[in-house]
């Protein structure tokens, strides 16, 4: 399973820690922005690259840190939502009106996000089989 991990640019160490925990749980994280410096890539190119990574992912997780403003992750969240990625919000739901939508799963910790991702993966892998022989 591959996810895109979004979060505030100002909190990259926290997002890197989340990536480490997700990867330790067997989840591939595609989010090159986490390792970039501000001047590494032109912003236009970065935006398109981020969207490609979101579209190619199976899921989407956003780290929402209380009190930290971050417009980029809000845009990425909406792209993921529109592409049917069933986004998971870790942390502060109050940051964005769209975090309150039924399709968004809001959890408190990265471990909760890991559990939600694994649960969804099992749901896809094991379809319900009727006990009535149909």
């Amino acid at each position: 399973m591959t996810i895109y991990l979004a979060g505030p640019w100002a909190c990259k160490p926290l997002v890197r820690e989340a990536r480490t925990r997700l990867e330790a749980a067997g989840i591939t994280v595609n989010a090159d922005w986490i390792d970039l410096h501000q001047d590494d890539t032109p912003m236009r190119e970065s935006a398109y690259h981020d969207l490609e990574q979101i579209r190619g992912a199976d899921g989407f997780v956003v780290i929402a840190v209380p009190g930290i403003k971050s417009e980029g992750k809000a845009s990425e969240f909406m792209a993921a939502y529109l592409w049917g990625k069933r986004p998971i919000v870790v942390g502060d739901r109050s940051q964005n009106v769209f975090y309150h939508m039924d399709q968004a799963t809001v959890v408190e910790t990265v471990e909760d996000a890991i559990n939600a991702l694994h649960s969804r993966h099992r749901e896809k892998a094991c379809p319900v089989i009727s006990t009535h022989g149909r």
Side-chain angles (χ1 to χ4, degrees):
M1 166 187 352
T2 301
I3 63 131
Y4 183 87
L5 180 60
W9 185 274
C11 297
K12 279 188 181 185
L14 180 67
V15 179
R16 285 186 190 115
E17 179 183 328
R19 175 181 60 188
T20 298
R21 290 168 32 206
L22 287 156
E23 289 176 341
I27 298 165
T28 301
V29 176
N30 280 350
D32 294 344
W33 72 270
I34 298 169
D35 296 314
L36 295 178
H37 300 287
Q38 187 70 39
D39 299 327
D40 282 352
T41 308
M43 290 185 80
R44 179 172 187 235
E45 186 178 319
S46 292
Y48 283 111
H49 183 69
D50 290 352
L51 288 174
E52 287 174 21
Q53 289 188 316
I54 294 166
R55 183 171 277 200
D58 302 310
F60 179 89
V61 175
V62 59
I63 307 297
V65 181
I68 302 293
K69 188 176 179 180
S70 174
E71 293 87 356
K73 69 180 173 40
S75 300
E76 292 166 339
F77 174 91
M78 188 50 63
Y81 168 79
L82 291 172
W83 286 325
K85 304 299 178 185
R86 292 178 60 198
I88 296 174
V89 178
V90 178
D92 184 12
R93 169 183 269 193
S94 70
Q95 289 187 351
N96 189 315
V97 66
F98 295 105
Y99 293 173
H100 295 267
M101 297 171 71
D102 291 338
Q103 296 83 352
T105 299
V106 180
V107 298
E108 292 184 24
T109 67
V110 172
E111 285 71 27
D112 293 337
I114 290 167
N115 290 334
L117 288 163
H118 283 310
S119 174
R120 288 182 189 173
H121 186 67
R122 281 191 299 276
E123 288 172 14
K124 285 183 180 179
C126 300
V128 175
I129 299 173
S130 171
T131 57
H132 301 289
R134 294 182 198 166

